[in-house]
Amino acid sequence: MYIVLLGPPGAGKGTQAVKLAEKLKLVQVASGDLFRKALQEQTALGKKAKLYMDKGQLVPDEITIQMVMDRLSLPDVAEGAIFDGFPRNIEQAKALDKALKQQNKAIDKVIYIEVSEEEVLTRLSGRWICRKCQSPYHEVDAPPKKAGMCDRCGGELFQRDDDKPETIKNRLKVYLKETAPLIDYYKKAGKLVEIVSEGGMENVNRKIISALH
Ligand code: AMP
């Protein structure tokens, strides 16, 4: 099963992807995490990506698509995956469709998580992420049991450089221009399921699971 999680930054895609991956025994493929890992490892790809990430811009397609395709060639995603943060524009969506089709596979469902701009700003400015396993937390909505430490793996929590108010605004602008057209793209393909993000993340997760069944 191949699932895409779509929605603005701060919609809770990362949180939901982690939960879905656990419940459905699927691997999460998060392009942002792949870039941050490359950056941590100081690779050429990571250094190049940082130039765009710091400004809240999209990393160019040729770099992003190649990175995700490399990830897709690994055996752990042969039976399915949960895409989080990819595709981010029509070009990437077409590249993903094409790559899966070559293996007689296709995206099964696209979950579009809807959330207001105001809510996005509140969520992102209180977000903390595990340096080791990338699990997301929120200082008000979903705090860790012990401050600064990941409940799942004990890793150190940090705030992303691109979660600053100015960069958040730019990321939202980029989302509306580049990524929001994917809503129509997947609607036309008959794959889109819309979920309103309200009532807490457990509630959203239940709605997603029932939409997938
Ligand atoms: P995210 O963790 O998904 O919010 O991504 C953080 C940043 O990584 C984005 O603001 C982009 O600069 C970059 N990025 C992540 N995924 C993509 C993608 N699919 N296409 C282009 N840039 C991406």
Side-chain angles (χ1 to χ4, degrees):
M1 194 177 207
Y2 290 90
I3 301 165
V4 170
L5 294 183
L6 190 63
K13 299 189 296 293
T15 307
Q16 295 301 335
V18 170
K19 284 185 182 296
L20 286 178
E22 270 171 14
K23 282 190 186 160
L24 304 174
K25 305 271 172 279
L26 287 174
V27 173
Q28 172 193 11
V29 175
S31 41
D33 288 351
L34 294 174
F35 282 132
R36 278 183 290 277
K37 188 161 171 269
L39 187 59
Q40 236 171 21
E41 291 166 356
Q42 292 281 306
T43 66
L45 171 86
K47 285 179 195 165
K48 219 184 250 178
K50 185 175 168 27
L51 301 175
Y52 301 91
M53 293 170 81
D54 281 350
K55 294 186 212 142
Q57 291 170 353
L58 292 189
V59 178
D61 283 343
E62 64 269 23
I63 301 176
T64 307
I65 291 170
Q66 187 58 49
M67 177 184 73
V68 175
M69 292 307 137
D70 288 349
R71 180 66 189 84
L72 264 188
S73 67
L74 300 181
D76 62 339
V77 290
E79 300 297 320
I82 298 169
F83 294 101
D84 158 16
F86 183 91
R88 272 284 222 286
N89 59 25
I90 301 277
E91 203 56 44
Q92 295 179 9
K94 285 185 177 163
L96 179 60
D97 282 346
K98 192 171 155 204
L100 289 175
K101 200 171 172 198
Q102 277 168 355
Q103 302 174 26
N104 285 323
K105 295 169 184 166
I107 297 292
D108 294 285
K109 280 262 182 298
V110 177
I111 307 289
Y112 165 45
I113 307 178
E114 236 188 296
V115 60
S116 72
E117 191 170 327
E118 199 189 330
E119 180 73 19
V120 164
L121 287 169
T122 315
R123 285 188 190 183
L124 292 184
S125 47
R127 179 157 81 169
W128 289 81
I129 294 176
C130 173
R131 212 178 273 289
K132 218 160 127 196
C133 75
Q134 315 291 335
S135 291
Y137 294 87
H138 190 277
E139 54 193 33
V140 181
D141 297 339
K145 289 192 183 98
K146 193 171 168 217
M149 193 202 265
C150 178
D151 294 349
R152 277 200 179 78
C153 74
E156 179 204 2
L157 301 186
F158 78 107
Q159 283 198 297
R160 282 169 47 171
D161 286 342
D162 60 350
D163 279 347
K164 292 185 203 115
E166 273 322 295
T167 320
I168 293 172
K169 282 197 184 122
N170 201 34
R171 285 163 67 203
L172 268 172
K173 233 191 262 168
V174 170
Y175 167 79
L176 289 175
K177 184 162 175 270
E178 303 275 341
T179 313
L182 288 178
I183 298 169
D184 239 27
Y185 178 87
Y186 286 121
K187 205 183 260 175
K188 281 191 186 127
K191 299 189 173 176
L192 196 84
V193 180
E194 294 185 47
I195 305 276
V196 178
S197 179
E198 58 186 12
M201 58 187 177
E202 286 303 335
N203 186 44
V204 174
N205 191 250
R206 268 192 297 276
K207 284 198 272 187
I208 295 177
I209 296 279
S210 73
L212 290 175
H213 290 313

